[in-house]
Amino acid sequence: MYLRLPKGQTVDDIPKEVLIDCTHLVKANSNQGCKMNNINVVYTPWTNLKKTADMDVGQIGFYRQKDVRTVTVEKKVNEILNRLEKAKVERFPDLAAEKEARDREERNEKKAQIQEMKRKEKEEMKKKKEMEDLRSYSSLMKSENMSSNQDGNDADDFM
């Protein structure tokens, strides 16, 4: 069973109710598990799944064992299964198109973040340049701001 989490949520953030519903569905849809009590349901992020060509059908491995979580389902609870069966909606989505759309959205978000960083960097450079101009005397030493007493502008008129 695959559970698609909302953006920014991790395996540790899965609500307990959702986890219980998922484990009961896994138990009910398992050939061996539906006949037994006290079964362990293992869950992990999809990036931790390891599948090689020499493995049997249905067999998987894990890259990091510490990312693997286990939940024990003691026995079948018909109330949960009946509630889930009533809410069941069967769809046949185009998974490749959904993945491409999600990847495109992530690329656009990353581009927007990069543009925002560049804009902030430009603003900061502009502010830094303005501060440097305020601190320097180059703006004071312009010829249009200067006057000479050679023109007859003698400031010593009071004598």
Side-chain angles (χ1 to χ4, degrees):
M1 168 183 263
Y2 292 97
L3 175 65
R4 185 174 292 169
L5 298 174
K7 192 170 210 134
Q9 195 174 21
T10 64
V11 174
D12 298 324
D13 301 332
I14 299 173
K16 188 174 182 179
E17 298 80 25
V18 173
L19 193 59
I20 290 171
D21 289 351
C22 290
T23 55
H24 278 84
L25 277 175
V26 169
K27 177 180 171 34
N29 292 314
S30 171
N31 290 336
Q32 295 175 348
C34 67
K35 300 170 189 166
M36 300 182 336
N37 289 333
N38 296 325
I39 65 163
N40 290 330
V41 177
V42 176
Y43 67 101
T44 188
W46 70 269
T47 54
N48 193 32
L49 294 176
K50 179 180 180 182
K51 178 75 173 173
T52 58
D54 63 330
M55 291 181 169
D56 293 333
V57 174
Q59 181 182 5
I60 57 160
F62 305 108
Y63 289 109
R64 292 177 311 277
Q65 196 64 35
K66 71 174 190 167
D67 290 344
V68 176
R69 311 284 194 282
T70 306
V71 175
T72 302
V73 181
E74 293 179 11
K75 61 180 182 175
K76 181 168 82 170
V77 179
N78 285 326
E79 293 82 30
I80 294 174
L81 294 173
N82 291 340
R83 178 177 50 83
L84 293 173
E85 191 63 36
K86 286 179 186 177
K88 180 179 178 180
V89 176
E90 198 157 336
R91 297 184 312 150
F92 300 98
D94 184 3
L95 297 176
E98 284 185 12
K99 182 181 185 314
E100 182 59 37
R102 195 180 96 233
D103 290 346
R104 187 180 322 110
E105 185 178 310
E106 286 177 0
R107 282 191 303 267
N108 290 341
E109 286 178 9
K110 191 171 263 192
K111 283 181 186 178
Q113 287 176 348
I114 289 172
Q115 287 176 350
E116 182 67 22
M117 281 179 37
K118 285 181 180 179
R119 187 187 63 76
K120 284 183 180 179
E121 195 173 290
K122 280 184 180 180
E123 276 184 21
E124 193 156 314
M125 290 295 286
K126 187 177 178 182
K127 285 182 181 179
K128 187 176 179 181
K129 183 156 178 54
E130 287 175 2
M131 291 303 292
E132 284 178 7
D133 288 345
L134 284 174
R135 288 186 184 140
S136 73
Y137 293 108
S138 62
S139 63
L140 297 175
M141 300 302 282
K142 293 182 180 174
S143 60
E144 56 266 3
N145 291 343
M146 295 182 192
S147 62
S148 171
N149 61 0
Q150 299 293 329
D151 305 346
N153 293 340
D154 198 2
D156 294 337
D157 288 346
F158 65 94
M159 289 205 184

